[in-house]
Amino acid sequence: MFTENAEKVEKLVDHLFRQKASEIVAVLTGIFGFENFDLAEDVVQETLVKALQRWPYTGIPQNPAGWILQVAKNQALDILRRKAVFRDKEARIAQALDERMQPADYGIGTTFPDEQLTLLFTCCHPAFTQEMQVTLMLKTLCALSVREISRAFLTQESTIAQRLVRARKRIQEQNIRFEFPEPKEIAPRLDTVLQVLYVMFNEGYAVTEGENLIRGELCNEAIRLCSLLVQSPEGNLPKTHALLSLFLFQSARLNTRTDQDGNLLQLPEQDRSLWDRQAIDQAFSHLELSSQGDEFTRYHVEAGIASLHAIAPSYGETKWKEILNLYDSLLEIDASPIVQLNRCVALSMVEGPQAAIDQLDDLRRDAVLASYYLFPATLAELHLKLGDKRKAADFYRMTLPLTRTLPERAFIERRLRECEIA
Amino acid sequence: MPTYMLLLKEGEYSGYSPEEMQKILEKYMAWGKKLRDEGRHRAGEELNKTGRVLRWEKNQVVDGPFTETKEAVGGFYLIDASDYDEAVAISRGCPHLEFRGEIEIREIIPH
């Protein structure tokens, strides 16, 4: 009976279901085997549906996480009996379930870090393509649905579903197991993990639409997993701190990237007083830790660039020369056209728009940039700074078909209108 | 003020992510809280899916009810409302309807 008990939990912690889902999927995948991660997900799904059906009548239990774990355990035992794939292993698995899932100890904070770390490394097995790695991670470790993942990547649900089918096939064919890599494999695997987290964060950061809040969640998940990693003995390296620092600097700005109407705001227009100072402080702590040791990765450079933006009181007062130097370092590590594009923005602030335009003209034939909306958009901005509204308008028009989301499109259209006002 | 029984039939929750399910739950909790805050909530319980059915003609007691899933009553509420219109208006706010669940509303005959 639901009583008017004042001690009852009033509200759930944000993302509790997703957080616990990801932890319990990790534990169950460890027990069921990597090839059965979908069964682990089924267990968790049924558990949460039960909570959904029950708690409106009973109220939220005193320890919601403990309740979820207990019910998940019961569901797991149930699925153990029903599925042929577990025949002959029932007793062993039941025992593992009993040992590892202790509801009394489980609360809002407990996170099964070992199992999550193992899953993190397993998802990044070299047998998978990077797309599979990202998708597997989002599905199993971040408890996102196929629909949510497809929205995040602006692609079809069927694309994501098929990718998971292929990934499962690969798990079976190559007998990929839920386990930590061997000592000699840890270093390259860790690099893959960092790359995948980087991709995940970038996807989340690219645009944060009003409806597409899932993208902000990708950033949060990347931060959560990177934090988990940095707290482990294998992952506690300067480059992990560098990546986490970068994530924190970028995420500090997330809430100012759109105005209240959902319009996109670029760096010059963002209200810096609204940047998350706590995230920036944490970012600096990790930046400090990343500077220990000899290794100097692109994450170090990008974190350094982000830190210079974070401390600048305004766009104009930013230390552009230092940023330019950092981009020169980044080019030595990664001479990609996108890095060159970003460098040109810094160059324009140091040497003026024309210098940047000249550099960018050399990149006109690049295939990657040809489909990247910020390339013509940047050229447009630079011509606008030189007062050439006509050329700017031409470039904005070229940008329009390349935009991927409504806020991006709306932003470019606004700029185009401003140019066309003679 | 009359009392109404709300019979909530199976909702459809498959295909929702954990995050989405939490949002759904929060809607249910908010609706229930409103009922309590307004002093309308007399009772509300979830019902076990399996039970017993007593059938008159053969005078037997059998396992059941094996009604079609979407007809199965998953839970009920007893609420106070001034009339059917008000009871319906209150029920409309229940997220159960959003999730393809049916709500049957019956007035308890006063005596």
Side-chain angles (χ1 to χ4, degrees):
Chain A
M1 266 299 174
F2 189 106
T3 59
E4 300 302 327
N5 189 343
E7 286 163 25
K8 285 273 184 189
V9 177
E10 266 294 310
K11 205 185 171 307
L12 284 178
V13 166
D14 277 350
H15 316 302
L16 180 75
F17 272 23
R18 199 181 69 206
Q19 178 72 27
K20 294 300 136 185
S22 75
E23 291 165 18
I24 298 174
V25 164
V27 172
L28 287 176
T29 302
I31 296 172
F32 287 171
F34 193 40
E35 70 279 12
N36 293 317
F37 75 78
D38 51 337
L39 291 178
E41 289 172 341
D42 287 346
V43 167
V44 170
Q45 188 77 5
E46 286 170 30
T47 302
L48 295 179
V49 169
K50 277 208 160 74
L52 184 48
Q53 289 172 332
R54 180 148 312 166
W55 294 357
Y57 299 103
T58 63
I60 295 172
Q62 202 50 24
N63 180 2
W67 190 100
I68 291 170
L69 189 68
Q70 180 64 61
V71 172
K73 192 173 170 178
N74 295 341
Q75 282 295 125
L77 288 165
D78 192 56
I79 220 174
L80 198 56
R81 281 183 286 253
R82 281 189 281 131
K83 292 285 177 182
V85 77
F86 294 124
R87 207 170 292 149
D88 302 330
K89 304 181 205 165
E90 273 185 53
R92 180 171 62 76
I93 293 182
Q95 186 181 16
L97 286 169
D98 206 53
E99 283 168 10
R100 304 215 204 136
M101 294 171 83
Q102 297 286 321
D105 305 331
Y106 194 55
I108 289 176
T110 322
T111 59
F112 289 117
D114 294 336
E115 285 87 345
Q116 287 201 74
L117 270 165
T118 308
L119 190 51
L120 184 64
F121 277 89
T122 306
C123 285
C124 294
H125 193 285
F128 300 123
T129 63
Q130 187 177 78
E131 280 181 338
M132 283 179 186
Q133 291 165 349
V134 177
T135 306
L136 276 170
M137 206 181 282
L138 290 176
K139 187 89 190 355
T140 61
L141 204 40
C142 304
L144 294 184
S145 65
V146 167
R147 182 171 56 213
E148 287 171 329
I149 297 171
S150 67
R151 279 214 304 262
F153 287 92
L154 304 176
T155 181
Q156 307 273 37
E157 279 186 48
S158 55
T159 307
I160 303 295
Q162 278 161 28
R163 196 175 294 160
L164 287 167
V165 168
R166 283 197 299 272
R168 266 195 213 99
K169 214 162 151 251
R170 219 165 272 201
I171 294 170
Q172 300 273 20
E173 288 167 356
Q174 301 199 29
N175 197 25
I176 299 171
R177 300 164 59 88
F178 179 93
E179 61 193 0
F180 230 66
E182 295 185 14
K184 63 174 160 53
E185 279 301 309
I186 288 182
R189 190 75 66 90
L190 179 69
D191 281 343
T192 308
V193 170
L194 295 177
Q195 273 170 45
V196 171
L197 291 177
Y198 182 83
V199 166
M200 193 190 292
F201 188 92
N202 272 330
E203 279 303 322
Y205 193 75
V207 163
T208 314
E209 282 177 56
E211 295 169 356
N212 210 346
L213 292 170
I214 199 63
R215 304 191 120 225
E217 288 312 311
L218 290 189
C219 294
N220 291 336
E221 282 297 293
I223 289 172
R224 177 179 77 87
L225 293 172
C226 201
S227 303
L228 193 69
L229 191 58
V230 94
Q231 288 167 56
S232 74
E234 297 83 3
N236 187 11
L237 299 170
K239 57 185 162 183
T240 315
H241 284 284
L243 185 61
L244 186 51
S245 172
L246 172 62
F247 287 168
L248 287 163
F249 279 125
Q250 304 286 64
S251 75
R253 309 196 325 229
L254 267 176
N255 56 344
T256 63
R257 295 183 74 239
T258 50
D259 66 18
Q260 63 256 53
D261 299 319
N263 296 314
L264 206 59
L265 296 173
Q266 299 236 294
L267 198 50
E269 303 151 319
Q270 290 170 10
D271 182 351
R272 298 184 179 220
S273 69
L274 296 177
W275 285 356
D276 184 347
R277 287 292 139 189
Q278 201 178 27
I280 290 174
D281 288 341
Q282 284 173 9
F284 274 112
S285 301
H286 287 287
L287 189 63
E288 173 86 32
L289 290 165
S290 76
S291 66
Q292 297 167 5
D294 302 325
E295 209 176 357
F296 189 66
T297 64
R298 69 171 304 142
Y299 309 132
H300 286 92
V301 184
E302 293 192 49
I305 293 170
S307 74
L308 289 166
H309 284 301
I311 55 168
S314 73
Y315 194 73
E317 292 163 89
T318 308
K319 296 195 169 117
W320 289 109
K321 188 80 182 63
E322 290 181 34
I323 291 182
L324 188 58
N325 290 340
L326 283 170
Y327 270 114
D328 289 338
S329 303
L330 188 55
L331 275 178
E332 284 173 33
I333 298 170
D334 173 13
S336 77
I338 300 220
V339 172
Q340 293 190 54
L341 174 62
N342 291 331
R343 178 183 172 275
C344 281
V345 174
L347 182 65
S348 75
M349 297 302 288
V350 174
E351 290 182 23
Q354 192 58 51
I357 289 172
D358 294 340
Q359 294 256 323
L360 287 173
D361 274 341
D362 292 339
L363 295 170
R364 294 281 280 277
R365 283 192 229 297
D366 183 85
V368 170
L369 289 182
S371 58
Y372 186 44
Y373 90 103
L374 285 178
F375 179 56
T378 306
L379 277 164
E381 304 267 324
L382 293 169
H383 283 288
L384 200 56
K385 285 209 174 115
L386 290 177
D388 192 342
K389 281 193 179 178
R390 203 186 46 81
K391 263 222 178 93
D394 287 343
F395 279 114
Y396 279 129
R397 265 180 233 110
M398 276 193 256
T399 308
L400 277 173
L402 302 176
T403 58
R404 295 188 307 163
T405 63
L406 266 135
E408 280 174 9
R409 194 179 176 83
F411 173 74
I412 300 295
E413 280 171 352
R414 251 184 305 127
R415 282 294 218 263
L416 187 54
R417 277 196 300 277
E418 286 165 23
C419 292
E420 286 167 345
I421 298 166
Chain B
M1 195 177 284
T3 303
Y4 293 82
M5 176 166 268
L6 273 48
L7 296 161
L8 273 62
K9 308 204 182 152
E10 276 296 300
E12 182 58 61
Y13 305 112
S14 65
Y16 289 101
S17 72
E19 185 74 3
E20 288 163 348
M21 284 196 279
Q22 183 164 343
K23 296 259 175 349
I24 296 170
L25 175 70
E26 284 164 2
K27 286 190 191 181
Y28 275 102
M29 306 296 301
W31 183 78
K33 183 173 191 298
K34 191 153 184 282
L35 285 180
R36 285 182 188 84
D37 289 348
E38 291 173 359
R40 297 180 183 281
H41 181 277
R42 283 180 176 263
E45 299 294 348
E46 187 192 4
L47 298 174
N48 195 317
K49 285 191 175 42
T50 53
R52 296 291 184 274
V53 173
L54 277 167
R55 225 173 262 131
W56 184 80
E57 69 235 46
K58 291 191 182 162
N59 206 27
Q60 285 175 26
V61 178
V62 296
D63 280 345
F66 295 122
T67 41
E68 255 195 59
T69 317
K70 62 181 193 301
E71 285 301 305
V73 175
F76 73 89
Y77 284 93
L78 285 174
I79 63 164
D80 288 342
S82 17
D83 52 34
Y84 259 121
D85 283 344
E86 192 171 57
V88 166
I90 292 165
S91 303
R92 272 194 199 286
C94 182
H96 207 68
L97 295 170
E98 222 180 298
F99 301 102
R100 272 168 278 170
E102 199 179 275
I103 303 179
E104 187 175 324
I105 305 161
R106 305 280 291 275
E107 182 179 310
I108 289 177
I109 294 188
H111 57 88

Short mmCIF file of all heavy atoms in Angstrom, two decimals, chain A residues 250-270:
data_model
loop_
_atom_site.label_atom_id
_atom_site.label_comp_id
_atom_site.label_asym_id
_atom_site.label_seq_id
_atom_site.Cartn_x
_atom_site.Cartn_y
_atom_site.Cartn_z
N GLN A 250 35.20 21.50 -23.45
CA GLN A 250 34.16 21.64 -24.48
C GLN A 250 32.77 21.60 -23.85
O GLN A 250 31.88 22.38 -24.21
CB GLN A 250 34.27 20.52 -25.52
CG GLN A 250 35.62 20.41 -26.21
CD GLN A 250 35.86 21.50 -27.22
OE1 GLN A 250 35.95 22.67 -26.88
NE2 GLN A 250 35.98 21.13 -28.47
N SER A 251 32.59 20.68 -22.93
CA SER A 251 31.25 20.52 -22.35
C SER A 251 30.84 21.74 -21.53
O SER A 251 29.67 22.04 -21.38
CB SER A 251 31.17 19.25 -21.50
OG SER A 251 31.82 19.45 -20.28
N ALA A 252 31.84 22.46 -21.02
CA ALA A 252 31.55 23.67 -20.24
C ALA A 252 30.79 24.68 -21.08
O ALA A 252 30.08 25.54 -20.55
CB ALA A 252 32.84 24.27 -19.72
N ARG A 253 30.94 24.59 -22.39
CA ARG A 253 30.33 25.57 -23.29
C ARG A 253 28.99 25.08 -23.87
O ARG A 253 28.29 25.86 -24.51
CB ARG A 253 31.27 25.86 -24.45
CG ARG A 253 32.65 26.23 -23.97
CD ARG A 253 33.52 26.89 -25.00
NE ARG A 253 33.37 26.44 -26.35
CZ ARG A 253 34.38 26.10 -27.13
NH1 ARG A 253 35.60 26.07 -26.65
NH2 ARG A 253 34.18 25.76 -28.38
N LEU A 254 28.67 23.83 -23.64
CA LEU A 254 27.49 23.23 -24.28
C LEU A 254 26.21 24.04 -24.09
O LEU A 254 25.44 24.22 -25.01
CB LEU A 254 27.24 21.81 -23.74
CG LEU A 254 27.86 20.68 -24.54
CD1 LEU A 254 27.63 19.36 -23.84
CD2 LEU A 254 27.28 20.63 -25.94
N ASN A 255 26.00 24.53 -22.88
CA ASN A 255 24.73 25.21 -22.62
C ASN A 255 24.63 26.59 -23.24
O ASN A 255 23.58 27.23 -23.19
CB ASN A 255 24.45 25.28 -21.11
CG ASN A 255 25.59 25.96 -20.37
OD1 ASN A 255 26.69 26.12 -20.90
ND2 ASN A 255 25.35 26.37 -19.14
N THR A 256 25.76 27.08 -23.83
CA THR A 256 25.68 28.41 -24.43
C THR A 256 25.73 28.35 -25.95
O THR A 256 25.84 29.38 -26.62
CB THR A 256 26.83 29.31 -23.96
OG1 THR A 256 28.07 28.74 -24.40
CG2 THR A 256 26.83 29.45 -22.46
N ARG A 257 25.66 27.13 -26.48
CA ARG A 257 25.81 27.02 -27.93
C ARG A 257 24.51 27.27 -28.68
O ARG A 257 24.49 27.39 -29.89
CB ARG A 257 26.38 25.64 -28.29
CG ARG A 257 27.78 25.50 -27.75
CD ARG A 257 28.42 24.19 -28.14
NE ARG A 257 28.79 24.19 -29.53
CZ ARG A 257 28.34 23.33 -30.43
NH1 ARG A 257 27.50 22.40 -30.08
NH2 ARG A 257 28.74 23.42 -31.68
N THR A 258 23.43 27.32 -27.94
CA THR A 258 22.16 27.72 -28.56
C THR A 258 21.50 28.77 -27.68
O THR A 258 21.64 28.75 -26.47
CB THR A 258 21.19 26.53 -28.71
OG1 THR A 258 21.09 25.86 -27.46
CG2 THR A 258 21.66 25.55 -29.77
N ASP A 259 20.76 29.68 -28.32
CA ASP A 259 20.00 30.64 -27.52
C ASP A 259 18.64 30.03 -27.19
O ASP A 259 18.36 28.90 -27.56
CB ASP A 259 19.87 31.99 -28.25
CG ASP A 259 19.04 31.89 -29.53
OD1 ASP A 259 18.29 30.91 -29.71
OD2 ASP A 259 19.15 32.81 -30.36
N GLN A 260 17.79 30.79 -26.47
CA GLN A 260 16.53 30.18 -26.02
C GLN A 260 15.58 29.82 -27.14
O GLN A 260 14.63 29.09 -26.93
CB GLN A 260 15.81 31.07 -24.98
CG GLN A 260 15.36 32.43 -25.52
CD GLN A 260 16.29 33.51 -25.02
OE1 GLN A 260 17.51 33.43 -25.17
NE2 GLN A 260 15.73 34.52 -24.41
N ASP A 261 15.84 30.32 -28.34
CA ASP A 261 14.99 29.93 -29.46
C ASP A 261 15.55 28.74 -30.21
O ASP A 261 15.03 28.36 -31.26
CB ASP A 261 14.81 31.12 -30.43
CG ASP A 261 14.15 32.30 -29.75
OD1 ASP A 261 13.21 32.07 -28.97
OD2 ASP A 261 14.60 33.44 -29.98
N GLY A 262 16.65 28.19 -29.72
CA GLY A 262 17.25 27.04 -30.37
C GLY A 262 18.18 27.41 -31.51
O GLY A 262 18.65 26.55 -32.26
N ASN A 263 18.46 28.72 -31.66
CA ASN A 263 19.39 29.13 -32.72
C ASN A 263 20.83 28.87 -32.30
O ASN A 263 21.19 29.03 -31.14
CB ASN A 263 19.23 30.62 -33.01
CG ASN A 263 17.86 30.94 -33.56
OD1 ASN A 263 17.38 30.25 -34.46
ND2 ASN A 263 17.22 31.95 -33.03
N LEU A 264 21.62 28.48 -33.27
CA LEU A 264 23.02 28.16 -33.03
C LEU A 264 23.82 29.44 -32.74
O LEU A 264 23.68 30.43 -33.43
CB LEU A 264 23.57 27.50 -34.29
CG LEU A 264 24.74 26.56 -34.16
CD1 LEU A 264 24.38 25.41 -33.25
CD2 LEU A 264 25.10 26.02 -35.53
N LEU A 265 24.64 29.38 -31.70
CA LEU A 265 25.53 30.50 -31.40
C LEU A 265 26.97 30.04 -31.54
O LEU A 265 27.36 29.04 -30.95
CB LEU A 265 25.30 31.00 -29.97
CG LEU A 265 23.93 31.60 -29.65
CD1 LEU A 265 23.83 31.89 -28.16
CD2 LEU A 265 23.72 32.89 -30.44
N GLN A 266 27.75 30.78 -32.31
CA GLN A 266 29.15 30.39 -32.45
C GLN A 266 29.96 31.01 -31.32
O GLN A 266 29.46 31.85 -30.57
CB GLN A 266 29.66 30.85 -33.82
CG GLN A 266 28.88 30.18 -34.93
CD GLN A 266 29.75 29.43 -35.88
OE1 GLN A 266 30.56 30.01 -36.59
NE2 GLN A 266 29.62 28.12 -35.89
N LEU A 267 31.22 30.62 -31.26
CA LEU A 267 32.09 31.06 -30.17
C LEU A 267 32.08 32.57 -29.91
O LEU A 267 32.01 32.99 -28.76
CB LEU A 267 33.51 30.56 -30.46
CG LEU A 267 34.51 30.50 -29.32
CD1 LEU A 267 33.96 29.79 -28.10
CD2 LEU A 267 35.78 29.81 -29.78
N PRO A 268 32.15 33.40 -30.96
CA PRO A 268 32.15 34.83 -30.68
C PRO A 268 30.88 35.33 -29.97
O PRO A 268 30.92 36.33 -29.27
CB PRO A 268 32.25 35.49 -32.07
CG PRO A 268 32.75 34.42 -32.96
CD PRO A 268 32.28 33.12 -32.40
N GLU A 269 29.77 34.63 -30.20
CA GLU A 269 28.48 35.11 -29.68
C GLU A 269 28.06 34.48 -28.36
O GLU A 269 27.05 34.85 -27.78
CB GLU A 269 27.37 34.83 -30.70
CG GLU A 269 27.63 35.44 -32.07
CD GLU A 269 26.98 34.63 -33.19
OE1 GLU A 269 27.03 33.38 -33.13
OE2 GLU A 269 26.43 35.26 -34.11
N GLN A 270 28.82 33.47 -27.89
CA GLN A 270 28.40 32.75 -26.69
C GLN A 270 28.58 33.61 -25.45
O GLN A 270 29.55 34.35 -25.32
CB GLN A 270 29.19 31.45 -26.55
CG GLN A 270 28.80 30.42 -27.60
CD GLN A 270 29.74 29.23 -27.64
OE1 GLN A 270 30.58 29.05 -26.77
NE2 GLN A 270 29.59 28.40 -28.67
#
